[in-house]
């Protein structure tokens, strides 16, 4: 979901003002693509595209990607939603650049939705690219029957297990220090303190690296 929230409320204002586009799509699979968020006020000059999991969406005029949060497993998500049809809503801004992405929401015919992002930059005439959709002619479903797709699979053993072991070692070191081990033995205490600090840091590094490896192995456009 790319940290855009789990509510459709932010999209209603754009829809009412007719600033959004809509596209009839069908979920056909999972993959990974480079997600390049629109620059924000606090973004520095060193902003880089980042590989994100994505749902592959097909439309009569071509295909689009819906980037979802990196913590989600796109393969499981696509299996749950395979061949489901719905409407993709997003706001293509006139000052967008090719490759930039904008917040988007996929609303399925059964009332469920997935919040994420989709490429929002303009597609020049005669240039092959993601279909631009059409101006919104129908509103989002009412808030009562609409619910987020879920539950999401967050725990992924092939991604998180090595990192969890590193966290466990760091936690064990904290327990040993609390139990008094190492007092009077500077080497043992130093080793426990180092493991306490390095364990969580190594765990996060291992999780990020394994996730990036899994994403690179997913189909890319």
């Amino acid at each position: 979901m790319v940290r855009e929230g789990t509510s459709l409320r932010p999209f209603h204002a754009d829809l009412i003002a007719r600033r959004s586009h809509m596209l009839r799509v069908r979920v056909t699979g999972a993959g990974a693509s480079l997600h390049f968020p629109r620059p924000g006020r606090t973004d520095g000059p060193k902003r880089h595209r980042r590989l994100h999991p994505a749902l592959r969406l097909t439309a009569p005029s071509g295909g689009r990607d819906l980037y979802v949060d990196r913590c989600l497993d796109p393969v499981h998500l696509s299996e749950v939603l395979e061949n489901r049809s719905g409407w993709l809503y997003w706001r293509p801004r006139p000052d967008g650049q090719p490759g930039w992405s904008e917040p988007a929401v996929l609303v399925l015919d059964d009332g469920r939705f997935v919040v994420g992002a989709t490429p929002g930059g303009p597609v020049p005439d005669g240039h092959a690219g993601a279909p631009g959709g059409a101006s919104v002619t129908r509103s989002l479903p009412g808030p009562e029957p609409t619910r987020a797709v879920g539950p999401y699979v967050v725990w992924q053993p092939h991604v998180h297990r090595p990192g969890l072991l590193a966290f466990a070692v760091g936690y064990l070191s904290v327990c040993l220090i609390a139990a008094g081990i190492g007092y009077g033995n500077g080497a043992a205490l130093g080793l426990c303190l180092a493991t306490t600090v390095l364990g969580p840091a190594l765990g996060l590094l291992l999780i990020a690296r394994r996730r990036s490896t899994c994403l690179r192995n997913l189909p890319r456009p």
Side-chain angles (χ1 to χ4, degrees):
M1 294 173 296
V2 199
R3 306 296 182 191
E4 296 292 349
T6 56
S7 171
L8 297 183
R9 188 173 301 171
F11 294 93
H12 280 288
D14 283 338
L15 291 173
I16 293 173
R18 300 291 183 181
R19 292 191 296 256
S20 294
H21 278 202
M22 59 188 292
L23 183 68
R24 183 68 176 173
V25 296
R26 180 169 57 89
V27 180
T28 56
S33 298
L34 290 173
H35 169 50
F36 197 22
R38 169 178 290 275
R41 294 180 180 178
T42 60
D43 290 319
K46 297 182 178 179
R47 298 180 66 254
H48 302 286
R49 291 174 177 167
R50 193 178 186 190
L51 198 61
H52 261 73
L55 288 177
R56 300 284 188 229
L57 309 176
T58 61
S61 54
R64 266 191 173 272
D65 283 342
L66 177 68
Y67 308 125
V68 295
D69 200 289
R70 278 173 62 93
C71 72
L72 301 181
D73 181 0
V75 175
H76 172 79
L77 191 58
S78 67
E79 290 174 350
V80 172
L81 303 179
E82 186 175 6
N83 291 323
R84 299 276 184 173
S85 297
W87 292 92
L88 179 68
Y89 297 88
W90 77 99
R91 179 185 175 184
R93 305 189 198 186
D95 61 339
Q97 298 294 326
W100 284 5
S101 53
E102 302 287 357
V105 58
L106 170 64
V107 181
L108 302 173
D109 291 340
D110 61 8
R112 294 180 297 169
F113 67 90
V114 181
V115 176
T118 193
V123 179
D125 293 338
H127 184 273
S135 298
V136 171
T137 57
R138 64 193 302 271
S139 60
L140 289 172
E144 292 300 327
T146 307
R147 64 194 187 283
V149 170
Y152 295 106
V153 174
V154 178
W155 167 253
Q156 303 165 42
H158 57 288
V159 172
H160 297 106
R161 185 177 287 120
L164 181 62
L165 293 176
F167 276 102
V169 171
Y171 177 73
L172 178 61
S173 297
V174 173
C175 293
L176 291 176
I177 293 174
I181 193 171
Y183 290 101
N185 186 334
L189 180 59
L191 179 61
C192 287
L193 290 173
T195 307
T196 300
V197 175
L198 294 178
L202 180 60
L204 293 174
L205 180 63
L206 288 173
I207 291 173
R209 184 167 184 175
R210 293 295 290 268
R211 178 175 286 118
S212 295
T213 299
C214 291
L215 290 177
R216 285 195 295 268
N217 291 331
L218 290 173
R220 298 179 63 181

